[in-house]
Amino acid sequence: MMKNRSIMTHRIAFVIFLIFISVMFVGCPGGNEGKEDKEVHSGEYYSFQCDNGGYKVLKVLLAEENLIHICYYNNIFEEKPSGDVIQSLYFGKNRFNDAFISEDGGQTTTGRKHMALTLENWKYWKPHFLSNGEVTSDELKAYEEWKNGDRYVSGLLTIPNN
């Protein structure tokens, strides 16, 4: 009888231990503090890391149920930028296939005035929230062209090179 009670006590302790470990790994938020799953709003600025290692800044033009409409700027940053870079953001002067090209320190950089991302693409880019902002009617012109045009949405999980 005593032996059965000891085995039962060990089993209960083991189950409690497993529950504790499960709660620690599943129930506790990670270092992102829910930012990845944060509801996205028009006017918000985010940074993302390009495939070649540099960082760019994007702005949310419009957040729909299944699409996030963004623009991203020509600026390339060597380190993850903070909200203080927003005043320095620009688009290039030469337009090529809906991209705006600029020379920045001898390096060709591109920006887009509109791009429609699926929610899967949005998460794949791993955007990092920088700041709130507002969208102007001028910024929505490229979105309106898209809406009245081909309405292309990339299904490819790719991140711009620069």
Side-chain angles (χ1 to χ4, degrees):
M1 177 89 164
M2 190 67 140
K3 188 174 183 178
N4 286 343
R5 190 176 256 174
S6 176
I7 291 172
M8 186 63 117
T9 303
H10 286 330
R11 284 183 182 168
I12 291 171
F14 183 70
V15 169
I16 291 171
F17 174 74
L18 288 178
I19 291 170
F20 175 77
I21 293 297
S22 297
V23 168
M24 290 301 294
F25 284 109
V26 177
C28 296
N32 260 353
E33 298 171 357
K35 294 272 187 197
E36 230 177 76
D37 295 328
K38 169 187 177 305
E39 189 174 328
V40 179
H41 298 282
S42 297
E44 292 178 335
Y45 291 90
Y46 291 82
S47 67
F48 66 95
Q49 189 169 18
C50 298
D51 274 350
N52 64 356
Y55 291 87
K56 284 189 162 280
V57 174
L58 66 84
K59 184 175 186 177
V60 176
L61 299 175
L62 187 67
E64 295 180 320
E65 186 176 329
N66 297 316
L67 295 176
I68 309 290
H69 297 272
I70 65 162
C71 65
Y72 66 87
Y73 301 90
N74 284 72
N75 312 59
I76 296 177
F77 303 95
E78 290 182 20
E79 296 179 11
K80 186 184 282 190
S82 60
D84 61 350
V85 302
I86 292 169
Q87 297 301 320
S88 70
L89 300 175
Y90 69 93
F91 289 106
K93 296 180 179 172
N94 301 321
R95 185 177 177 134
F96 178 76
N97 287 345
D98 195 36
F100 288 79
I101 300 171
S102 181
E103 287 288 324
D104 187 12
Q107 181 180 13
T108 302
T109 62
T110 59
R112 301 277 306 259
K113 287 199 173 184
H114 174 266
M115 181 179 240
L117 296 177
T118 63
L119 295 178
E120 185 179 17
N121 281 76
W122 174 258
K123 290 177 182 176
Y124 186 78
W125 283 32
K126 298 178 184 169
H128 176 78
F129 179 79
L130 293 178
S131 176
N132 290 313
E134 295 192 17
V135 177
T136 66
S137 58
D138 191 46
E139 290 173 313
L140 287 176
K141 285 180 184 176
Y143 163 74
E144 293 295 333
E145 288 176 21
W146 172 85
K147 192 168 84 174
N148 296 322
D150 66 6
R151 300 179 72 109
Y152 175 75
V153 177
S154 173
L156 300 173
L157 295 180
T158 58
I159 299 174
N161 284 330
N162 65 15

